[in-house]
Amino acid sequence: MAQNVNIVQKIIEYIEDHLHENIDLDTLAASMHYSKYYLHRLFTKTIGLSIHTYILRRRLSEAARSLAQTQRPIMEIALWSGYESQRTFTNRFRKMYKIPPVKFRKQKQYYPLQLRMNVQDMYDDFILSKATIRHAKKSDIPSWITLLHLVVDGYPSLNEVEYRVQLEIAIEQKRALLIEDEHELIGALVFRSHPCWIDFLGIHPQYRNSQLTQLFLNAMKETYCPNQEIWISTFRKYDPADTGYREEFIKLGFMERECSIEFDYPTQHFVLPVNDKKKVRNKYE
C-alpha cells in the first residue's frame, strides 16, 4: 500500500510540475518505469479520478483562480490551460463551473473545482463501524474544511465563510457527524430532521470505495432519522462535473425526484425510501 501511495504521489507531482504543458503520459510512464496503463489503473483506483480528468479539473481550477485574481486576458488563460481557442475554453469552463469565464471574472470569487491532491497511507487494519461515527466538535472545523476542499467537486460557487457559520450551527445542534481513520478525517455529514435531509456528505477521495456512505446511511436510518425517507441533492444527469455521485446514490437505493437550483447550481433531488423489511447492511457490521 505504501508503495502504491508513493507512486500516485509521484504522478501528482509530475502533473503539477507540468500542469500548463503538454503532458506526455508515455514520458511519465517511462520516467517511473511502469506502463501508462498500470499507472492509469492505480491512479484511478487511489483517488477516484482518471489522470486525464484530474488534469482537466486542476487546469480549470487554476484558470478560475487566474480569472478571479488577475487581469490576464481570457485568451491567454485559455492557452495557458491547454486549450487551442478561447471558444473551446469557454465551453468547457461553462460546463464545469456553470457560468462563462467573463461572468466568473466579474464575480471575483474564486473557488476551486479540484485542488492538488496529497495522498496518504490508508489504515487497512483500522476497524470502521457505526461506533466510529461521532458528533463533530468546533475543534474539528479546520480538518472538516480541509476535507471540504478535497470533495468540493462540481460546487465551486460554495461560499466558505457562510458554510463555516452554518457548520458551527449544525455542530451546536448535534447535526454534524464525522468519521476518522486514525488521525485523518475521512468522512463528514450534516443533516436536518423532519423531513430528513442530508445537507452535506463528503468522503475522502481515497475512501470513496470503502462504503463510508453506506455506513453513514445506516446510522441515519437507525439513530438520527428512523422510519423516515432520507433526501439528498446531487448532480443532474449528464453533468460533466459529476465524478460518480449519482451512480453511487442510485446503487444505494436512492430514487430520482425533481430538479432544482441550489446556490445557483443545477441539481436534482434524490430520496431513499423507508424500508422496514430489509435493513441496509455493509461490511462493517
Side-chain angles (χ1 to χ4, degrees):
M1 180 62 70
Q3 181 182 3
N4 290 345
V5 167
N6 184 52
I7 293 172
V8 173
Q9 191 62 44
K10 287 184 177 180
I11 295 173
I12 291 172
E13 291 171 1
Y14 181 94
I15 292 172
E16 296 296 329
D17 289 342
H18 301 83
L19 191 59
H20 302 294
E21 304 172 16
N22 182 21
I23 297 179
D24 187 339
L25 296 185
D26 288 311
T27 301
L28 166 63
S31 68
M32 298 185 64
H33 306 291
Y34 291 102
S35 77
K36 62 181 179 181
Y37 305 105
Y38 171 76
L39 295 181
H40 169 78
R41 290 194 300 270
L42 180 60
F43 191 91
T44 302
K45 180 180 179 181
T46 302
I47 70 169
L49 297 173
S50 69
I51 294 176
H52 173 76
T53 300
Y54 178 82
I55 293 172
L56 168 67
R57 294 165 67 88
R58 284 291 297 123
R59 284 175 171 169
L60 286 176
S61 292
E62 294 307 309
R65 187 196 304 274
S66 188
L67 286 167
Q69 299 177 357
T70 76
Q71 294 301 315
R72 297 176 66 183
I74 294 180
M75 182 61 193
E76 181 181 323
I77 295 174
L79 296 174
W80 180 66
S81 302
Y83 294 87
E84 296 181 354
S85 69
Q86 183 171 327
R87 180 179 180 180
T88 303
F89 168 71
T90 296
N91 289 339
R92 174 55 63 177
F93 191 93
R94 186 200 298 268
K95 286 181 179 179
M96 300 298 279
Y97 271 85
K98 304 303 178 285
I99 58 174
V102 172
K103 185 175 180 180
F104 189 91
R105 165 162 278 172
K106 289 180 179 179
Q107 292 180 346
K108 296 182 178 180
Q109 294 181 344
Y110 165 68
Y111 209 85
L113 187 72
Q114 179 73 55
L115 288 176
R116 171 178 175 154
M117 281 288 298
N118 288 297
V119 294
Q120 300 182 18
D121 287 333
M122 296 172 63
Y123 295 90
D124 293 331
D125 57 346
F126 184 68
I127 300 175
L128 292 170
S129 67
K130 286 181 291 186
T132 311
I133 301 175
R134 68 171 175 84
H135 289 287
K137 300 176 290 187
K138 286 189 177 181
S139 59
D140 295 313
I141 291 179
S143 296
W144 187 297
I145 296 300
T146 296
L147 177 64
L148 172 69
H149 287 161
L150 289 177
V151 302
V152 64
D153 292 321
Y155 293 90
S157 60
L158 179 66
N159 185 313
E160 187 174 320
V161 175
E162 180 180 330
Y163 182 89
R164 283 177 177 266
V165 173
Q166 295 302 316
L167 177 57
E168 288 190 11
I169 293 173
I171 290 174
E172 291 176 357
Q173 296 177 348
K174 303 295 184 182
R175 295 186 292 105
L177 309 174
L178 58 78
I179 299 175
E180 294 172 307
D181 186 343
E182 293 295 332
H183 303 296
E184 181 83 7
L185 198 159
I186 59 175
L189 180 146
V190 174
F191 70 94
R192 287 173 286 157
S193 302
H194 310 296
C196 185
W197 270 93
I198 295 177
D199 290 326
F200 173 76
L201 173 61
I203 305 298
H204 191 289
Q206 287 182 253
Y207 288 80
R208 282 283 295 272
N209 297 323
S210 299
Q211 298 190 27
L212 295 192
T213 298
Q214 186 74 84
L215 195 62
F216 273 129
L217 288 178
N218 285 350
M220 295 293 293
K221 292 172 72 71
E222 297 172 12
T223 304
Y224 302 101
C225 294
N227 302 316
Q228 290 190 60
E229 295 177 330
I230 300 176
W231 290 80
I232 194 168
S233 295
T234 190
F235 300 93
R236 292 186 185 181
K237 195 172 184 179
Y238 304 126
D239 188 334
D242 182 14
T243 57
Y245 291 99
R246 276 183 63 95
E247 180 182 358
E248 180 182 11
F249 292 141
I250 291 173
K251 287 181 178 179
L252 289 170
F254 280 87
M255 302 175 64
E256 296 179 60
R257 289 295 184 262
E258 68 277 5
C259 292
S260 181
I261 300 292
E262 301 176 68
F263 306 105
D264 298 322
Y265 196 98
T267 63
Q268 184 173 6
H269 295 163
F270 276 68
V271 62
L272 182 64
V274 176
N275 188 343
D276 295 326
K277 294 182 180 180
K278 183 179 180 180
K279 178 185 173 184
V280 180
R281 291 187 174 274
N282 64 63
K283 68 181 182 180
Y284 298 122
E285 295 187 307

